[in-house]
Amino acid sequence: MAFDVGGDAYGAFMGRFAEPLAGQFVEFAGVQAGQRALDVGCGPGALTARLVERVGAADVAAVDPSASFVVATRNRCPGADVRQGVAEELPFGDGERDVALAQLVVHFMADPVRGLAEMGRVTRPGGVVAATVWDFGGGTGPLSAFWAAAHELDPTVDGEADRAGTREGHLAELARAAGLTDVESGAITVAVRYATFEQWWHPYTLGVGPAGDYVTGLGEKERAQLRQRCEERLPTAPFDIRAQAWAVRARG
């Protein structure tokens, strides 16, 4: 999957949504000053930066499988402990953290239950494990208009609606299956304004994530058809895209 891209490409594609989501997610998780925090699947550092603001770089660790994202997060958050690795095998000892958060990651984990269990393992007893994933299952994620247009042209397109945690209640199911306790669910909504349709469309051509994979795999004619169908589905610019994410908070 195309996440071995530069932080700028990810920022243009998903960062516009991930940045405001991160601020609300930190509040949802109840992160407090003085805690030791871990960002699992940090990407180029949207959530990591918010954690640094809240608890200080010395008490923030982050991990991501993408080498380019690790570099981007290290550059953005000097002093934080940023490592390359995967959620299913976190490079930290038992109980090292007070809070472990995963933003827009669970649906890309090879084994979501194991990944959440690992987050619980590295969190102290009674510590907080929290995750958030876009509502692709309910059709209110930031890419939902794109996937709907793609499906109209190619009914075989799956989009991301069947991925882990993307439907209401599924994150909580996964958390319980991972052995986490005191599981609470919620939803977070963000809105992003686009001045032009091209500002919305261009990030899809950068090869980021499943949507980027799909666009770059199309021929020139099919790509033009998809672009036109997306433009027909969206409001006249400028327009806002509102996106909802499911969230879960639990105890390790």
Side-chain angles (χ1 to χ4, degrees):
M1 192 171 299
F3 283 111
D4 194 15
V5 296
D8 290 344
Y10 182 88
F13 177 69
M14 188 53 65
R16 295 171 64 90
F17 293 91
E19 295 289 342
L21 179 65
Q24 294 191 57
F25 185 38
V26 166
E27 296 299 331
F28 173 85
V31 180
Q32 303 291 326
Q35 292 182 321
R36 301 160 298 168
L38 171 63
D39 182 0
V40 177
C42 62
L47 177 60
T48 315
R50 294 303 180 103
L51 293 173
V52 168
E53 291 174 0
R54 181 62 57 94
V55 306
D59 286 323
V60 172
V63 62
D64 197 277
S66 168
S68 61
F69 285 171
V70 168
V71 171
T73 301
R74 285 174 177 167
N75 290 337
R76 182 172 180 177
C77 303
D81 178 6
V82 186
R83 310 182 192 181
Q84 189 170 1
V86 297
E88 294 83 358
E89 297 181 18
L90 292 173
F92 303 96
D94 295 356
E96 286 188 8
R97 297 284 140 181
D98 298 302
V99 293
L101 283 66
Q103 174 170 297
L104 308 180
V105 175
V106 170
H107 56 316
F108 293 124
M109 291 180 182
D111 185 339
V113 171
R114 181 175 175 182
L116 289 167
E118 272 288 275
M119 292 172 65
R121 178 187 65 80
V122 302
T123 304
R124 64 169 174 79
V128 171
V129 174
T132 185
V133 175
W134 293 123
D135 174 32
F136 291 122
T140 65
L143 314 184
S144 292
F146 169 84
W147 285 122
H151 189 266
E152 288 175 0
L153 296 172
D154 179 3
T156 67
V157 170
D158 292 331
E160 299 174 62
D162 293 331
R163 290 183 175 273
T166 62
R167 59 177 171 81
E168 186 174 8
H170 195 217
L171 272 179
E173 293 176 24
L174 294 170
R176 294 188 182 98
L180 303 178
T181 62
D182 298 332
V183 179
E184 302 176 65
S185 298
I188 301 172
T189 301
V190 299
V192 174
R193 168 144 290 215
Y194 289 90
T196 65
F197 171 77
E198 185 59 31
Q199 185 184 39
W200 180 90
W201 169 254
H202 177 69
Y204 288 91
T205 69
L206 301 178
V208 183
D213 281 344
Y214 183 75
V215 171
T216 56
L218 293 174
E220 184 175 344
K221 178 182 177 180
E222 291 76 14
R223 191 178 302 128
Q225 290 175 333
L226 177 57
R227 184 187 188 282
Q228 180 178 349
R229 186 59 59 92
C230 287
E231 189 166 15
E232 291 169 353
R233 291 187 63 89
L234 290 168
T236 302
F239 56 84
D240 291 336
I241 297 294
R242 293 181 61 82
Q244 178 172 274
W246 302 122
V248 69
R249 178 179 56 235
R251 298 288 176 182

